[in-house]
Amino acid sequence: MNGNPDLYLETIGKNAKEASVILMKTQTSLKNRVLQDAADALISRSSEILEANALDRDAARKSGMAEGLYDRLALTEERIRGMAEGLREIALLEDPIGSVSEMKKRPNGLIIGKMTVPLGVIGVIYEARPNVTSDVFGLCFKTGNAAVLKGGSDALQSNIAVTNIIRSVLEANGLPMDSLQLIEDTRRETTRAFMHLDRYIDLLIPRGGAGLIRTVVKESTIPVIETGTGNCHIYVDESADIGMAVNIIFNAKTQRIGVCNAAESLVVHEKIREKLLPALEEKLKTKNVELRADEPAREYLQDAKCAVPEDWGTEYLDYILSIKTVADIGEAIRHINRYNTGHSECIVTSDYANAQRFLREIDAAAVYVNASTRFTDGNEFGFGAEIGISTQKMHARGPMGLPALTSYKYIIYGEGQIRE
Amino acid sequence: MNGNPDLYLETIGKNAKEASVILMKTQTSLKNRVLQDAADALISRSSEILEANALDRDAARKSGMAEGLYDRLALTEERIRGMAEGLREIALLEDPIGSVSEMKKRPNGLIIGKMTVPLGVIGVIYEARPNVTSDVFGLCFKTGNAAVLKGGSDALQSNIAVTNIIRSVLEANGLPMDSLQLIEDTRRETTRAFMHLDRYIDLLIPRGGAGLIRTVVKESTIPVIETGTGNCHIYVDESADIGMAVNIIFNAKTQRIGVCNAAESLVVHEKIREKLLPALEEKLKTKNVELRADEPAREYLQDAKCAVPEDWGTEYLDYILSIKTVADIGEAIRHINRYNTGHSECIVTSDYANAQRFLREIDAAAVYVNASTRFTDGNEFGFGAEIGISTQKMHARGPMGLPALTSYKYIIYGEGQIRE
């Protein structure tokens, strides 16, 4: 694609804004019908998606894409059914838009409440997973927001196919096709210009690796919700149950290594090293987890490398665990608050006061007592689908379900009141 | 002040972050005692404040400061009592920090809830009103946030005096003085560098005129909450009670002209022009309000200027009202959604369906039926003090009381749960 990216994006932005005005007032029943129809259409037109995906996969093979990335790019009938199922699940979720809360009567008789409203236009920049396209559409659409998507160039043909199918369903239901738009121009300068489209886009969400997220946070003039990076710790307190601690660490480290809520570091009370570390090492050996420990921990480990300071701040996303020894819970909290990325942190303890203190003082989106950090997830938290896991404090924190894509306005019922 | 602004701000940022770690866990009772002590100290040491303020006022006179600005700068014993009273009121407000809500049990036995937490460090950039200094401190401190303030250079001596008094109260109560810091370096490059201190400041709030706000929104790499500009409309529907409409417009336009929730524009249904406009003109004449109307409205006005397109987008903050005629409520809503600044909008009507439609479809922080827009205010809404009125949709919208200065984290109580 050629031409001036600003002109191209100007049209996309304007169309999105116009669509958002219609979506803002679209009834829940119609939104749900569109979601169900889109699910049906993804399945009935799956051959179009698979053909487009084959083009992307061929190109990926030729360019020598890494196996993990290739696997995420590849679609099958089953994955398309999963995408459709995702849309049906969103249709079943409660529509937050238009609900009114905190209604109260003021002394002067004014009745004031808060009404939930859409944000307007949501932009999402993501990498080579075409299923994100339908997911993000579903979440934005259900909350009355127009969506402008910039997927990875590796998945362009797949994303075009999915987007076209959903757009035709929108049109068939009398809604603006531009409720969902895909930026098909894959040039870097276009992505950069997209991040500056603040006159049309109300919120920008990057979904992908740490590099993508950093770039978007740094470059964007649109408000961004930072998602995803997780340098998560398990702190094993002096009073912990050893079996529980080993199970939780093993689960949080190895159940799935490439995800943001996987544990990257063990913080261990010096008085429990002797009981915990040998049992833990044996268990982790079954998955060949590499240990990088400080000296006090290495005393009780057979086969641990020496941790260097960089280890404390590293999200490995791999079969590697760093181990830091502390003298007490205060040191554990300071260490974790210094190195964590605001994602998920856990204490394993049987001490009531330490559990409460950890919950209170750790600065992260999700703070656990005696459970695996792997639960930080919209579905596990009972929100249904999620658009990402926010690691920032403004607007939304933690797994972001539908309410994270909304704002509110105050509505005021009067009888002619004026201010004295 | 000389030297490298970045080094100067680095120290301030670091100190604020350290203070915020203490404030995060400070008990409500201690916070309330500090607020009461600070109120006492402002009064007992008012002579220091007045002396400092005299220096600012002398300089302002010499530089030929405009009368309105000079009035805002000037402190008196009474105004200092008002500042103290403001702190006492904040002490009486409920502390939102640490409260837990939405606690629920998941099928796997995990108990998950949301705990309210401080944002961390809040920066505020404001103009020549020294009373803002104590207000902002009170609100940030009550919510467990450290505050870094950049006041107007015209009020520097007054702000230093107020800040020093509060800092000494903090110290006397065993809390970090750097819970409140004032940037005393008034150079432009320092203010600019402050807006880039995102590694230490979690939220930046500009308080002041439209120019200041625009600059901060554009320049800052810290998340900003946009406050204050208000191009507010009153739409008088066909079915409106004329007396009520005249009262509301008169109040919203003239009760105080220099504020963001004052009305700037009347949107009038063409079928009510004949009854409304002459009565309104007569009433507004008592305050010499200049009218700038479109042609259909001028037919029923004695002495209105011709409105030009720029009038629709102008926040006059003066005795001027623009008047736009519309054929129906749909046109009114489109006009208002095009030109409003997301602040406060009102319909005067006796029609049920139109009232509900206006509430639903107008995109603004506060939408009124049959009441003056002048009520958009933290006190009038029952929030107690406010730190500003947000005209954006992210994080907080409308009058921002204490909850707007907080975030939340998820807390999870487990019994050894791991993810399958």
Side-chain angles (χ1 to χ4, degrees):
Chain A
M1 193 167 281
N2 300 309
N4 182 331
D6 289 321
L7 284 178
Y8 172 69
L9 291 171
E10 176 75 20
T11 306
I12 286 182
K14 209 173 251 174
N15 293 347
K17 206 67 174 175
E18 278 169 23
S20 77
V21 173
I22 307 292
L23 289 181
M24 190 185 83
K25 48 188 179 184
T26 300
Q27 294 285 356
T28 305
S29 53
L30 176 55
K31 291 192 283 190
N32 289 344
R33 186 160 71 235
V34 168
L35 290 166
Q36 295 286 3
D37 288 356
D40 291 344
L42 289 179
I43 289 175
S44 67
R45 294 171 64 178
S46 61
S47 60
E48 286 173 49
I49 302 173
L50 292 173
E51 279 164 32
N53 189 244
L55 297 175
D56 286 334
R57 281 155 61 196
D58 285 350
R61 278 289 181 231
K62 274 175 200 148
S63 74
M65 181 183 273
E67 204 53 42
L69 274 178
Y70 183 84
D71 174 64
R72 291 196 204 181
L73 171 62
L75 289 177
T76 59
E77 290 283 359
E78 196 195 332
R79 283 197 176 171
I80 293 172
R81 276 197 301 276
M83 290 162 68
E85 200 42 52
L87 292 177
R88 290 193 213 285
E89 278 169 18
I90 293 168
L92 294 175
L93 294 176
E94 201 185 334
D95 183 355
I97 299 304
S99 73
V100 176
S101 60
E102 299 174 38
M103 206 98 196
K104 61 185 175 219
K105 194 166 175 179
R106 298 291 303 150
N108 59 6
L110 287 178
I111 297 174
I112 301 183
K114 273 167 102 165
M115 182 189 276
T116 307
V117 300
L119 287 171
V121 181
I122 296 177
V124 182
I125 300 184
Y126 55 107
E127 290 171 340
R129 296 175 66 160
N131 59 319
V132 172
T133 309
S134 60
D135 270 11
V136 165
F137 161 73
L139 292 161
C140 292
F141 180 74
K142 179 80 183 221
T143 45
N145 295 290
V148 180
L149 309 185
K150 172 71 188 71
S153 51
D154 297 324
L156 182 63
Q157 299 307 323
S158 314
N159 288 336
I160 289 175
V162 170
T163 305
N164 283 344
I165 291 169
I166 294 173
R167 282 167 61 91
S168 67
V169 169
L170 285 161
E171 195 180 31
N173 280 282
L175 285 172
M177 291 174 90
D178 292 334
S179 304
L180 173 63
Q181 292 179 93
L182 179 73
I183 295 176
E184 299 182 16
D185 179 347
T186 58
R187 291 176 299 170
R188 265 171 197 280
E189 62 258 42
T190 304
T191 306
R192 202 169 308 118
F194 180 39
M195 297 184 216
H196 291 262
L197 209 60
D198 49 25
R199 62 200 179 284
Y200 295 118
I201 315 270
D202 297 287
L203 170 63
L204 188 58
I205 302 175
R207 281 182 60 152
L212 169 71
I213 291 164
R214 251 196 316 273
T215 305
V216 173
V217 168
K218 208 171 152 200
E219 181 84 26
S220 175
T221 56
I222 306 165
V224 171
I225 292 193
E226 220 172 316
T227 63
T229 50
N231 185 25
C232 307
H233 301 74
I234 313 278
Y235 166 58
V236 180
D237 195 27
E238 183 179 0
S239 64
D241 177 286
I242 300 292
M244 185 193 286
V246 170
N247 273 342
I248 287 175
I249 298 162
F250 183 74
N251 181 261
K253 178 69 259 180
T254 71
Q255 196 245 354
R256 205 167 151 202
I257 56 160
V259 291
C260 55
N261 56 18
E264 306 292 359
S265 188
L266 164 66
V267 179
V268 59
H269 193 290
E270 60 184 13
K271 293 202 180 133
I272 205 171
R273 280 175 301 167
E274 186 171 358
K275 280 191 264 172
L276 176 73
L277 294 179
L280 178 67
E281 184 170 31
E282 201 186 319
K283 179 89 173 180
L284 290 175
K285 215 175 256 173
T286 64
K287 294 271 189 180
N288 295 314
V289 176
E290 176 185 323
L291 302 179
R292 300 190 188 172
D294 61 8
E295 279 312 318
R298 289 181 76 214
E299 287 174 27
Y300 298 94
L301 293 164
Q302 300 279 333
D303 190 25
K305 293 191 177 165
C306 213
V308 294
E310 290 71 48
D311 282 303
W312 309 137
T314 301
E315 185 186 14
Y316 302 117
L317 298 172
D318 201 348
Y319 289 100
I320 304 172
L321 182 74
S322 70
I323 305 180
K324 162 83 183 172
T325 307
V326 294
D328 56 33
I329 186 175
E331 190 184 349
I333 289 171
R334 281 192 302 278
H335 175 82
I336 293 173
N337 279 344
R338 172 155 178 207
Y339 291 105
N340 90 78
T341 53
H343 201 292
S344 301
E345 306 300 328
C346 166
I347 183 174
V348 185
T349 189
S350 60
D351 184 279
Y352 175 80
N354 285 357
Q356 295 297 107
R357 180 174 172 195
F358 194 84
L359 288 175
R360 214 168 41 234
E361 297 188 12
I362 287 290
D363 189 12
V367 189
Y368 291 82
V369 178
N370 296 342
S372 170
T373 53
R374 287 280 293 115
F375 287 108
T376 305
D377 173 282
N379 269 305
E380 295 293 336
F381 276 25
F383 304 162
E386 69 170 36
I387 199 158
I389 296 171
S390 162
T391 54
Q392 66 178 45
K393 290 188 202 172
M394 297 282 291
H395 189 70
R397 200 176 196 200
M400 294 188 288
L402 296 179
L405 302 182
T406 70
S407 180
Y408 55 86
K409 63 183 169 195
Y410 289 98
I411 60 174
I412 303 101
Y413 292 96
E415 304 157 306
Q417 283 89 341
I418 57 170
R419 191 153 167 194
E420 307 298 333
Chain B
M1 193 166 281
N2 300 308
N4 182 331
D6 289 322
L7 285 178
Y8 172 69
L9 290 171
E10 176 75 19
T11 307
I12 285 182
K14 210 173 251 173
N15 293 347
K17 206 68 175 173
E18 277 168 24
S20 77
V21 173
I22 308 292
L23 290 181
M24 189 183 84
K25 49 189 178 184
T26 300
Q27 294 284 356
T28 304
S29 54
L30 176 54
K31 292 192 283 190
N32 289 343
R33 186 159 72 236
V34 168
L35 289 166
Q36 296 285 4
D37 287 358
D40 292 344
L42 288 179
I43 288 175
S44 66
R45 294 172 64 179
S46 61
S47 59
E48 285 174 49
I49 302 173
L50 292 173
E51 279 164 31
N53 189 245
L55 297 176
D56 286 332
R57 282 156 60 196
D58 285 349
R61 279 285 181 232
K62 274 175 200 147
S63 73
M65 180 183 273
E67 205 53 41
L69 275 179
Y70 183 85
D71 175 63
R72 292 197 206 179
L73 171 62
L75 290 176
T76 59
E77 291 281 1
E78 196 195 332
R79 283 196 175 172
I80 293 172
R81 275 197 302 276
M83 291 162 68
E85 198 43 49
L87 292 176
R88 290 193 212 286
E89 280 169 18
I90 294 169
L92 294 175
L93 294 176
E94 200 185 334
D95 183 355
I97 300 303
S99 73
V100 176
S101 60
E102 301 174 37
M103 206 97 194
K104 61 185 176 223
K105 193 165 174 181
R106 298 291 304 149
N108 59 7
L110 286 178
I111 296 173
I112 301 182
K114 273 166 104 166
M115 181 189 276
T116 307
V117 300
L119 287 171
V121 181
I122 296 176
V124 182
I125 301 184
Y126 55 107
E127 291 172 339
R129 296 175 67 159
N131 59 319
V132 172
T133 308
S134 60
D135 270 12
V136 165
F137 161 73
L139 291 162
C140 293
F141 180 75
K142 179 79 183 221
T143 45
N145 296 291
V148 179
L149 309 186
K150 172 70 188 71
S153 52
D154 297 325
L156 182 62
Q157 299 308 323
S158 314
N159 288 337
I160 290 174
V162 171
T163 305
N164 282 345
I165 290 169
I166 295 173
R167 283 167 59 92
S168 67
V169 169
L170 284 161
E171 193 180 34
N173 280 281
L175 284 172
M177 291 174 90
D178 292 335
S179 305
L180 172 64
Q181 292 179 92
L182 179 73
I183 296 176
E184 299 182 16
D185 180 348
T186 58
R187 292 175 300 168
R188 264 171 197 280
E189 62 258 42
T190 305
T191 306
R192 201 170 309 119
F194 180 39
M195 298 185 217
H196 291 263
L197 210 60
D198 49 25
R199 61 200 180 283
Y200 295 118
I201 315 271
D202 297 287
L203 170 64
L204 188 59
I205 302 175
R207 281 182 59 154
L212 169 71
I213 291 164
R214 252 196 315 273
T215 304
V216 173
V217 167
K218 208 173 152 197
E219 181 84 27
S220 175
T221 55
I222 307 166
V224 171
I225 292 193
E226 220 173 315
T227 63
T229 50
N231 185 26
C232 305
H233 301 73
I234 313 277
Y235 166 57
V236 180
D237 195 25
E238 182 180 359
S239 63
D241 178 286
I242 299 293
M244 185 192 287
V246 170
N247 273 342
I248 287 175
I249 298 162
F250 183 76
N251 182 260
K253 177 68 260 180
T254 70
Q255 197 245 353
R256 205 167 151 203
I257 56 159
V259 291
C260 55
N261 56 17
E264 306 292 359
S265 188
L266 165 65
V267 179
V268 58
H269 193 290
E270 59 183 13
K271 293 202 178 133
I272 206 171
R273 279 175 302 167
E274 185 172 358
K275 280 191 263 173
L276 176 73
L277 294 179
L280 178 67
E281 185 170 30
E282 198 187 321
K283 180 88 173 181
L284 290 175
K285 216 173 257 173
T286 64
K287 292 272 190 178
N288 295 315
V289 177
E290 177 185 322
L291 302 179
R292 300 191 188 171
D294 60 9
E295 279 313 317
R298 290 181 75 215
E299 287 174 28
Y300 298 94
L301 292 164
Q302 301 278 333
D303 191 26
K305 293 191 178 165
C306 212
V308 293
E310 290 70 49
D311 281 302
W312 310 136
T314 301
E315 186 186 12
Y316 302 117
L317 299 172
D318 201 348
Y319 289 100
I320 304 172
L321 182 74
S322 70
I323 304 181
K324 161 83 182 172
T325 308
V326 294
D328 56 32
I329 185 175
E331 190 185 348
I333 289 171
R334 281 193 302 279
H335 176 82
I336 293 172
N337 279 345
R338 173 157 178 203
Y339 290 105
N340 90 78
T341 54
H343 201 293
S344 301
E345 306 299 329
C346 167
I347 183 174
V348 185
T349 189
S350 60
D351 183 280
Y352 174 80
N354 285 356
Q356 294 298 106
R357 181 174 171 192
F358 194 85
L359 288 175
R360 215 169 40 235
E361 297 188 11
I362 287 290
D363 189 10
V367 189
Y368 291 83
V369 177
N370 297 341
S372 169
T373 54
R374 288 279 295 114
F375 288 108
T376 304
D377 173 282
N379 269 307
E380 295 292 336
F381 276 25
F383 304 162
E386 69 170 36
I387 199 158
I389 296 171
S390 163
T391 54
Q392 66 178 45
K393 291 189 201 172
M394 297 282 291
H395 190 70
R397 201 176 195 198
M400 294 188 288
L402 296 179
L405 302 181
T406 70
S407 180
Y408 55 86
K409 63 184 168 194
Y410 289 97
I411 60 172
I412 302 102
Y413 292 95
E415 304 157 306
Q417 282 89 343
I418 58 171
R419 189 151 167 197
E420 306 298 334

